[in-house]
Amino acid sequence: MQKRVAFCTLVSVLLFGCASTDQGLAEDVQFKNWQLIKVDTNSIASSAHVRFIDAMEIEGHTGCNDFFASSAIFDEQLRVDNLGMTYKVCEQVESDVEQALLQTLKSNPAVVVGADTMVLTGAHTLTFQALPNQ
């Protein structure tokens, strides 16, 4: 009986720790403008950006098209659902950035947040820089 209580207590502590970490990550990324500055190892000059708004909904611009989706952070991974977007024809460079961004969002990327950076690692490694809120 004591072993069962100890096991249940340990599992509860571990699960609370994960939820606490995920909540902290969500608070770190929410309500900030994140400018895409690097795709994999390549620095880019693009208007691509993301923003997490109420209820962790995500909205942004791929460099060509606007997009929106619901999202959540579980086990330090970003989960994106119900992705919708505009469909404009893009130049090749914009299209490449757009594809990397969308593929990564759909791949349940790992999320790492620094003082003013956010890195999503999934189909690609995307590095974002926090911009001042406007």
Side-chain angles (χ1 to χ4, degrees):
M1 180 68 170
Q2 288 179 341
K3 287 181 182 180
R4 182 177 291 170
V5 170
F7 177 75
C8 290
T9 302
L10 177 63
V11 170
S12 296
V13 167
L14 291 174
L15 289 176
F16 179 74
C18 291
S20 173
T21 301
D22 291 341
Q23 181 64 34
L25 277 173
E27 290 171 1
D28 288 345
V29 301
Q30 202 167 16
F31 305 116
K32 292 181 183 173
N33 295 308
W34 296 98
Q35 179 74 43
L36 182 62
I37 59 170
K38 190 183 282 188
V39 175
D40 297 320
T41 59
N42 304 312
S43 295
I44 62 166
S46 173
S47 61
H49 64 273
V50 300
R51 179 175 167 89
F52 296 89
I53 57 175
D54 292 329
M56 281 298 290
E57 292 177 343
I58 185 173
E59 63 182 18
H61 185 71
T62 66
C64 181
N65 286 290
D66 296 318
F67 69 92
F68 54 91
S70 57
S71 71
I73 296 178
F74 293 109
D75 296 330
E76 299 179 16
Q77 289 183 297
L78 178 65
R79 308 287 170 90
V80 175
D81 293 310
N82 302 319
L83 182 67
M85 61 185 294
T86 60
Y87 289 99
K88 300 178 201 169
V89 176
C90 310
E91 297 291 327
Q92 187 61 46
V93 171
E94 294 170 332
S95 182
D96 291 344
V97 170
E98 178 174 87
Q99 289 306 308
L101 177 58
L102 296 175
Q103 288 170 357
T104 302
L105 290 176
K106 292 176 184 178
S107 70
N108 296 333
V111 180
V112 175
V113 179
D116 65 347
T117 60
M118 174 178 66
V119 178
L120 301 180
T121 305
H124 294 273
T125 299
L126 305 180
T127 304
F128 296 84
Q129 183 170 13
L131 298 175
N133 287 331
Q134 301 172 7

